[in-house]
Amino acid sequence: MNVRLSGDVISEKNATISITGSKSESNRLLILQAQFPQITIENFSESDDSSVLKNALSVETGDVDIHHAGTAMRFLTAYYAIKPGAEIILTGSERMQERPIGTLVSALRNLGADISYIKNEGFPPLKISGKKIEENEITIDAGISSQYISALMLVAPSLQNGLKIFLKGTPTSLPYIEMTLSLLKKVGITGIFSENKIEIFPSEKLKHVNINIESDWSSASYFYSLVALSKNAEITLSNFRENSIQGDSALVSIYESLGVKTTFYASENKIKLSKSKGQLPDSLILNLADTPDLAQTIAVTCFGLGMSCSLSGLKTLKIKETDRLVALQNELQKLGAVVKIDDETLFLESSKKIVAGIAIETYNDHRMAMAFAPLAVKTELIINNAEVVSKSYPDFWKDLAKTGIKCSFEG
Ligand SMILES: O=C(O)C1=C[C@@H](OP(=O)(O)O)[C@@H](O)[C@H](O)C1
Ligand SMILES: C=C(OP(=O)(O)O)C(=O)O
């Protein structure tokens, strides 16, 4: 199913959109709730990734297929590995079988876990036989994916002796590690992160705790882009807070430079996005190592605004749902952009023209579809395989239509 997009966003009326809970927070809380049933959750994510993880947690023996959900793959590897009695074959989509997991598997094996590779060394599918783990110290390369570290932190409170994790190298996607620690603390588990050492203490039983998950800032990014590209749109989004534990809330300051003002309504847990006055810069230079999921949105916004940008810190993009650097370059070029990439940088030249009527390929990547959609404010375009959005945001097209963009589904 493809979607043809056209039209300007509503300028008079203020569109109101309610995004569901953060996928990252939901996935962490599911793993914690499976160990500590005293946790209850509100505003749970409606993403495919979170429902696939939720279903997997009820399985103790047999095959588990988590499709495209990277976070679920990494978190479940650690979860099953430390669960005595679990006998699991953990697999995923073709792309998942190309996304590395060797660093996490080696760390777990060093702790005493029983995990083996079924096809290729270092990649899913995995055979996991859950075991009681007594070791409590591990060193891990922190430069590939923060998900490996979060996975270890999330199961650490169930280990008899807790866990000390020593991070080697400069950590990538650091706010996600901090999010994991914040949630552990919120539910009553003790943890410390200082310098390159994370220590999580064992916990047997927790008091009841109810967590109302903040909505997903990564999903909000597409509406920031829409406002940046529109003449005078105003969009209200719930349920967002000023003090977020999601690193992607950096959107507020990043999009200030791109002409979007965020107003927080604390008592209603809402934000309003509107156009700010003032001149846009000619160019944007950003390191996105802390917020990799925003890279596609920001690159497309800059292109739509006719700005140049230099985005660095992107080495993790190559091992996500697709090679996002290559995918971005391919699709931006079709629209007329001049884009250069290397292993961790994207450089976009400023250009005033956008080729109309282009069909954007999405490479099984939800963020390719959603990042290009706001360009509809500037030109008619088609997004191929529009259903990919359900990985993180199943209602995306419905919500986009609320802003006034015309969405016609074909095929
Ligand atoms: O822990 C998480 O919830 C995530 C961590 C990030 O991955 P990396 O640490 O692999 O960059 C991010 O890109 C992903 O969408 C979600
Ligand atoms: C990279 C992402 O997810 P995951 O790694 O969990 O597949 C994402 O949602 O952009």
Side-chain angles (χ1 to χ4, degrees), residues 90-110:
L90 184 57
T91 191
S93 62
E94 232 170 81
R95 175 60 181 169
M96 188 57 61
Q97 298 185 25
E98 295 168 357
R99 296 182 70 182
I101 196 158
T103 303
L104 175 61
V105 169
S106 301
L108 286 162
R109 280 176 172 172
N110 287 341

Side-chain angles (χ1 to χ4, degrees), residues 23-25 27-28 71 74-75 99 144-148 150 172-173 176-177 179-180 218 289 292-293 316 319-321 324 367:
K23 164 164 91 89
S24 291
E25 291 191 53
N27 290 351
R28 284 161 173 73
T71 317
R74 281 69 181 259
F75 290 2
R99 296 182 70 182
I144 304 167
S145 168
S146 68
Q147 295 176 11
Y148 306 150
S150 289
T172 191
S173 310
Y176 289 96
I177 299 177
M179 174 197 286
T180 309
S218 322
D293 295 354
T316 62
I319 55 167
K320 298 209 185 277
E321 283 79 336
R324 286 179 171 168
R367 299 204 192 283

Side-chain angles (χ1 to χ4, degrees), residues 357-369:
I358 294 295
I360 301 294
E361 287 304 335
T362 49
Y363 307 78
N364 280 322
D365 183 359
H366 53 142
R367 299 204 192 283
M368 283 302 286

